């Protein structure tokens, strides 16, 4: 059985022909190549697959430019990809936003200003982490996935943009109206609604990212 590997995300398909579309990143059939594993003789060690090279593209990009002077952006990109900084940095919004939402719900249930402040400070922590998340995500998208504009990347970018916008709005609302979570008005329920949307957007972006990280499973 032949193995076909997606050159964008590394997904492996088993079959006589490559699939018409990658189920992970959405790239077309032309982005698949026959894996070296399926072509290697039995008594020969399989060569390193192209997907493995894609995963280590931080090193590859530097090696290809070894004869030329690297720019600062090239060096930063190499460090980001080699050390998987995007995968590390996204743990901040993925982990802190659910905690902030939990504190927010408690603040509304118990009419607690202190719990509301706890939610607010957690949202600030997420906001401070977003520049690194966005920068490392952009560099990984451009260099590791060649700026592919398939559905998985579009959804991930859209969800991240929505989350960042809502995050700004929630913090500004809390600054303008410090007692918004304890004030018996419609505003606090609107605040809760947008916090829920923020949680969903962060979760969706994280889900899309995990599809790319665990793209090695074959069909």
């Amino acid at each position: 059985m032949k193995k076909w590997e997606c050159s964008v995300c590394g997904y492996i398909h088993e079959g006589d022909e490559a699939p018409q579309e990658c189920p992970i990143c959405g790239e077309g059939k032309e982005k698949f190549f026959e894996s070296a594993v399926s072509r290697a003789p039995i008594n020969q060690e399989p060569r390193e697959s192209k997907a493995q090279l894609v995963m280590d593209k931080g090193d590859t990009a530097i090696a290809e430019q070894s004869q030329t002077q690297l720019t600062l952006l090239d060096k930063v990109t190499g460090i980001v990809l080699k050390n998987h900084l995007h995968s590390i940095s996204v743990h901040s919004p993925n982990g802190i936003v659910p905690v902030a939402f939990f504190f927010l719900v408690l603040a509304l249930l118990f009419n607690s200003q202190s719990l509301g402040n706890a939610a607010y400070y957690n949202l600030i922590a997420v906001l401070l982490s977003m520049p690194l998340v966005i920068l490392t995500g952009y560099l990984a998208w451009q260099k590791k996935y060649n700026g592919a504009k398939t559905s998985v990347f579009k959804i991930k970018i859209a969800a991240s943009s929505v989350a960042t916008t809502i995050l700004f709005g929630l913090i500004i609302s809390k600054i303008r109206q410090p007692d918004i979570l304890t004030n018996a008005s419609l505003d606090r329920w609107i605040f809760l609604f947008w916090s829920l949307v923020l949680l969903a957007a962060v979760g969706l972006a994280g889900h899309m990212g995990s599809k790319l990280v665990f793209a090695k499973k074959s069909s």
Side-chain angles (χ1 to χ4, degrees):
M1 183 72 72
K2 293 182 179 180
K3 290 187 177 182
W4 303 88
E5 201 163 327
C6 177
S7 60
V8 174
C9 69
Y11 173 78
I12 298 175
H13 171 81
E14 293 185 0
D16 294 332
E17 295 184 355
Q20 293 299 319
E21 181 179 291
C22 178
I24 301 299
C25 67
E27 283 288 4
K29 183 177 181 180
E30 68 279 0
K31 293 295 183 179
F32 278 82
F33 63 94
E34 187 178 351
S35 174
V37 175
S38 65
R39 299 195 304 269
I42 298 177
N43 60 349
Q44 180 180 341
E45 291 294 328
R47 294 179 298 170
E48 184 177 15
S49 68
K50 189 173 180 180
Q52 290 173 316
L53 296 178
V54 171
M55 296 302 295
D56 297 327
K57 203 162 183 179
D59 292 330
T60 304
I62 294 177
E64 290 176 348
Q65 301 183 62
S66 59
Q67 303 301 321
T68 60
Q69 185 177 3
L70 294 175
T71 65
L72 178 60
L73 180 60
D74 294 326
K75 294 178 181 179
V76 171
T77 302
I79 293 173
V80 167
L81 296 179
K82 181 178 180 180
N83 297 284
H84 309 286
L85 293 186
H86 181 61
S87 298
I88 295 173
S89 63
V90 295
H91 281 77
S92 293
N94 289 346
I96 299 177
V97 169
V99 173
F101 184 77
F102 176 71
F103 279 128
L104 175 60
V105 172
L106 291 180
L108 293 176
L109 288 176
F110 298 103
N111 199 33
S112 172
Q113 184 67 35
S114 60
L115 289 173
N117 288 337
Y120 170 66
Y121 294 138
N122 275 278
L123 291 177
I124 290 180
V126 175
L127 182 62
L128 293 176
S129 71
M130 288 307 293
L132 180 61
V133 173
I134 294 172
L135 174 61
T136 55
Y138 176 79
L139 294 177
W141 175 50
Q142 288 295 315
K143 296 297 183 179
K144 189 174 180 179
Y145 300 107
N146 301 314
K149 296 181 176 64
T150 56
S151 58
V152 64
F153 294 103
K154 290 179 180 179
I155 293 174
K156 191 174 188 298
I157 293 172
S160 300
S161 301
V162 169
T164 304
T165 302
I166 294 175
L167 185 60
F168 268 110
L170 291 175
I171 291 176
I172 292 175
S173 297
K174 186 68 168 62
I175 293 175
R176 295 179 61 182
Q177 192 176 347
D179 62 343
I180 189 171
L181 299 177
T182 56
N183 187 9
S185 66
L186 182 62
D187 292 341
R188 64 175 181 171
W189 298 109
I190 294 176
F191 194 94
L192 177 64
F193 169 77
W194 285 112
S195 298
L196 182 60
V197 176
L198 170 63
L199 180 62
V202 169
L204 179 59
H207 174 66
M208 292 294 106
S210 67
K211 287 185 65 176
L212 296 172
V213 172
F214 300 106
K216 295 295 183 180
K217 295 181 180 179
S218 58
S219 61

